[in-house]
Amino acid sequence: MENVEAIIKEIIDNIFEGDNINIATTNKEIFDAELIDSDINLKRFYHLIILDKKQDIKPFFRALRNGGYIISFEKFDEEYLQDIGFSAISEIDNLQIIKKVHSWNDF
């Protein structure tokens, strides 16, 4: 993947259009943002979370605001994602982009 950070910045610009947003990542080498892991205990705080590896996505779901996004380097099963409240699942340059659409299932 060529220049992953540039691709992520382009995705952010297209989705959020310069809005001031809270971004977190599981790997600061990929993107310079607040570093988090699956032990996070925040609810509905981040607008965008960047995941560099496959892991339990539920804590990250809780930490996302409604309408928030996850950009993942690893693909999650779309049926599973839809069952827990994500939709608008797409891919750009091997990155899976997942949108949180509701919070009725904030585990």
Side-chain angles (χ1 to χ4, degrees), residues 1-31:
M1 225 178 305
E2 283 192 31
N3 204 350
V4 173
E5 188 170 6
I7 294 168
I8 292 171
K9 284 181 180 180
E10 184 176 339
I11 293 168
I12 292 169
D13 289 343
N14 287 329
I15 293 173
F16 297 104
E17 300 176 347
D19 292 341
N20 188 17
I21 60 172
N22 296 323
I23 301 174
T25 184
T26 55
N27 185 340
K28 285 184 88 72
E29 292 178 17
I30 293 170
F31 193 82

Side-chain angles (χ1 to χ4, degrees), residues 21-26 34-51 56-70 84 86 100 102-103 105-107:
I21 60 172
N22 296 323
I23 301 174
T25 184
T26 55
E34 183 177 343
L35 187 63
I36 60 170
D37 60 28
S38 60
D39 289 338
I40 59 174
N41 199 19
L42 295 172
K43 279 192 136 184
R44 300 184 188 113
F45 180 74
Y46 297 104
H47 297 88
L48 175 71
I49 298 174
I50 302 162
L51 301 179
D56 183 12
I57 199 168
K58 291 177 184 177
F60 301 107
F61 180 89
R62 279 191 301 271
L64 271 181
R65 297 172 73 101
N66 290 338
Y69 290 84
I70 288 179
I84 63 171
F86 288 105
K100 179 178 180 178
H102 52 73
S103 61
N105 204 5
D106 266 1
F107 316 110

Side-chain angles (χ1 to χ4, degrees), residues 78-103:
E78 289 187 28
E79 190 172 305
Y80 168 72
L81 292 172
Q82 290 170 350
D83 285 348
I84 63 171
F86 288 105
S87 78
I89 302 161
S90 62
E91 290 182 33
I92 296 175
D93 289 336
N94 293 319
L95 297 173
Q96 189 175 42
I97 302 170
I98 311 160
K99 182 175 184 178
K100 179 178 180 178
V101 290
H102 52 73
S103 61

